[in-house]
Structure formats: structure tokens, C-alpha cells
Amino acid sequence: MGYPVRTVKADEWPQIKELRLAGLADPIARIAFNETHERAAAYPDDVWRDRAERSAIGDGITTFVGEADDGGEKGVGRIAGMVVVLVETEEPVPTAHLVAVYVRPEHRGTGLARQLFGRAIDWSWELETPRIERVRLWVHEENARAEALYGRLGFVRTGRSMVGPKQPSALEYEMTLPRPRHRSWG
């Protein structure tokens, strides 16, 4: 099953809010997020509106969403998953940081996560200014399924780890994907 993957539109902030809160409430996905459901649910709508607007214009943040055909009128799809790309220029090299990855339970195992990551990674390499040299993410030590997916996509652990912000007894591992180097065969 294929999903159309695209950048979020500014007026889709209610759908992004709903999806983010669903992810934060999901008992399986809870370890993947640094934010709590309670904190995010308390944000005023202006926060969600601002996130969607900034993302729609690519103001240091870009949100990619995957749509599933929900059988609605005019082929309108429901947002089935997302990944957010933060452009970090304060790193040693310009970096695209993938965060807020979430796929609704009924769409897991369908290839949507791979499609979302593929689009986010391609977008990162296509960005002209700044020229992204690596894509990174953090994975919780208990999230073996996510780490396996990231490994299949070419991400490797860097050796850096940090204490989990919500669970001081747990670790998160940094994984990166370097910019592909193309050889000249001429």
C-alpha cells in the first residue's frame, strides 16, 4: 500500500495536534517522545497553528505527513503518520534532525514509516542552504523496532548517548546517516 507523502499545510494544524496527541497517548510509542501528553494537551491552539505555519513555509522545521485514503468525500485522506525535520546549523556540520515520528497503529508495518523517512531524508539532501551533511535522530534503548527500521535505512549509532528526558534511568542513542558521497567515474 502506498501513501501520498507531502509537507503539512498551514491549515492542517488541528490534524497535526490530534496526531501528536494520539502519539503521546499511545502506550507503545510513549517511549519515543520527550514530551508528555499532559504538557502537549495544555498548549493553546496558537502553538499548534504556529508549528504548522512554520513547517508549511520551511522556517527551520518541516513536517512530512502520509495520507491514508479513508473513503471520505472527494478522496480526502486522513493523516496516518508524520515525521518532523529540524534544520540544525549549530552542530559541527549542518544537520537535519528527525523528531516526532509517529505512525497510527493501523498503518504500522505497511511501509508508511519507510516512505516518511525516505521523503524526509531526500528533502534533507536536496536542501541547498544550508547544505545538510548528515541526518540524525535519537532512539530510546527500549525501542528495538524503531532502531531496526533506522538501521535498515542506513542509520548507525554514533556512540553518543543521553539520559532519557522522561526516564532518567533509560538511555537514548544518537544515530546518524551521512550525506551520500558520489564518486566520479570519469
Side-chain angles (χ1 to χ4, degrees):
M1 171 183 222
Y3 295 83
V5 174
R6 58 174 176 76
T7 56
V8 71
K9 298 171 189 161
D11 65 352
E12 292 179 310
W13 68 266
Q15 292 93 326
I16 294 301
K17 175 183 177 180
E18 182 276 326
L19 185 65
R20 177 70 173 168
L21 293 177
L24 293 170
D26 185 327
I28 293 175
R30 69 172 169 67
I31 61 173
F33 301 110
N34 295 333
E35 187 172 48
T36 65
H37 182 275
E38 294 75 22
R39 181 175 175 202
Y43 291 150
D45 287 346
D46 287 348
V47 169
W48 300 101
R49 191 175 288 113
D50 180 62
R51 284 182 180 182
E53 287 172 357
R54 286 185 56 215
S55 189
I57 63 170
D59 184 18
I61 178 174
T62 301
T63 302
F64 292 97
V65 296
E67 286 184 304
D69 183 4
D70 66 356
E73 292 181 31
K74 302 178 187 172
V76 173
R78 179 177 186 212
I79 296 176
M82 73 178 191
V83 61
V84 176
V85 184
L86 304 175
V87 175
E88 299 177 331
T89 56
E90 291 77 34
E91 289 291 310
V93 296
T95 300
H97 187 171
L98 305 184
V99 299
V101 178
Y102 183 67
V103 173
R104 293 184 192 278
E106 64 270 23
H107 297 284
R108 293 180 188 152
T110 64
L112 175 57
R114 182 177 283 275
Q115 283 184 255
L116 287 164
F117 271 87
R119 184 64 193 107
I121 292 166
D122 288 347
W123 178 88
S124 299
W125 301 148
E126 293 164 5
L127 192 62
E128 291 182 19
T129 305
R131 183 175 190 268
I132 300 298
E133 293 298 327
R134 69 181 187 141
V135 178
R136 79 171 182 156
L137 52 80
W138 292 87
V139 63
H140 191 281
E141 68 182 348
E142 294 176 20
N143 202 346
R145 182 177 178 172
E147 187 170 358
L149 169 66
Y150 306 153
R152 288 191 301 275
L153 294 171
F155 286 84
V156 295
R157 284 191 189 183
T158 65
R160 287 181 64 196
S161 63
M162 68 175 173
V163 174
K166 290 191 317 190
Q167 278 184 292
S169 62
L171 289 177
E172 293 192 11
Y173 303 111
E174 181 185 50
M175 298 182 78
T176 62
L177 178 69
R179 176 180 273 284
R181 304 289 179 221
H182 298 286
R183 287 183 169 182
S184 172
W185 299 102

